[in-house]
Amino acid sequence: MASLRLLRATMLAALLAPLALPGASAAPEDEHRRGLEAYHRGDVAAAMTILRAPARAGHAPSQSLLAFMLDRGDFVDEAAQLYAQAAAQDDTEALYALANFHLTGRGVAKDEKRAVALFSKAADLGHVPSMQVLADAYAKGTMGLAPDAAQSAHWRARVAELRPSVPAKGAR
């Protein structure tokens, strides 16, 4: 519980921190890289501060990464807005995350039909986790979809095409 409070406090500090950092005039791709590096170092506050400018400028990967951090800190409404902005630019991670928000009603209205549309768009763009979700949904008849073995098999085959093969247990 204390670690969750610390994470929230760190994220709140990042939200309130000044936006001007050294290198803030860099290209959005460079700022995104810097933000990602800070995140990987465990400096969430710096990562969020760095990512704000490129996210505001419409850089989808920065919007998606910042939304991910905000979501983890339970700043769901802002995360949903950023995911929606990045999804509108066909960012597959944002499409997937926004689909999950619609599936559960977290941060947005629960809407399984919209979730399926977003998972489908991400899957069509090559997002393997979205393909897996669709394969399972068609196999089980969930998310408002009728069971459809052919569609399930289609998405499982696409996953197999895109995912590197994993040797069977005991095989070398």
Side-chain angles (χ1 to χ4, degrees):
M1 192 66 165
S3 64
L4 182 58
R5 280 190 218 128
L6 178 60
L7 176 62
R8 285 187 179 163
T10 301
M11 294 180 78
L12 185 57
L15 289 170
L16 300 174
L19 295 176
L21 288 176
S25 63
E29 296 81 14
D30 294 336
E31 290 189 52
H32 178 261
R33 182 189 41 75
R34 286 180 51 238
L36 188 58
E37 288 170 357
Y39 177 75
H40 286 298
R41 284 193 314 271
D43 193 347
V44 175
M48 291 178 71
T49 301
I50 292 165
L51 291 169
R52 287 244 171 240
R56 225 184 349 258
H59 186 251
S62 296
Q63 291 167 332
S64 188
L65 181 55
L66 181 56
F68 171 81
M69 288 184 261
L70 288 164
D71 181 23
R72 296 306 175 266
D74 213 22
F75 293 92
V76 180
D77 292 336
E78 187 176 359
Q81 291 173 357
L82 286 166
Y83 278 140
Q85 291 169 12
Q89 299 176 64
D90 292 342
D91 181 279
T92 57
E93 291 298 327
L95 286 161
Y96 177 79
L98 190 58
N100 276 306
F101 273 31
H102 279 288
L103 189 59
T104 62
R106 182 173 161 82
V108 296
K110 185 173 181 172
D111 184 344
E112 288 183 336
K113 187 175 181 179
R114 179 79 176 127
V116 169
L118 292 165
F119 282 129
S120 296
K121 175 97 182 211
D124 288 340
L125 293 169
H127 190 255
V128 172
S130 294
M131 293 176 198
Q132 292 173 311
V133 168
L134 290 171
D136 290 344
Y138 279 115
K140 298 172 185 172
T142 58
M143 295 194 313
L145 297 172
D148 187 329
Q151 280 294 319
S152 181
H154 163 76
W155 288 116
R156 289 194 196 291
R158 290 275 300 148
V159 168
E161 287 172 16
L162 296 173
R163 177 174 277 163
S165 62
V166 178
K169 197 170 189 175
R172 291 202 185 260

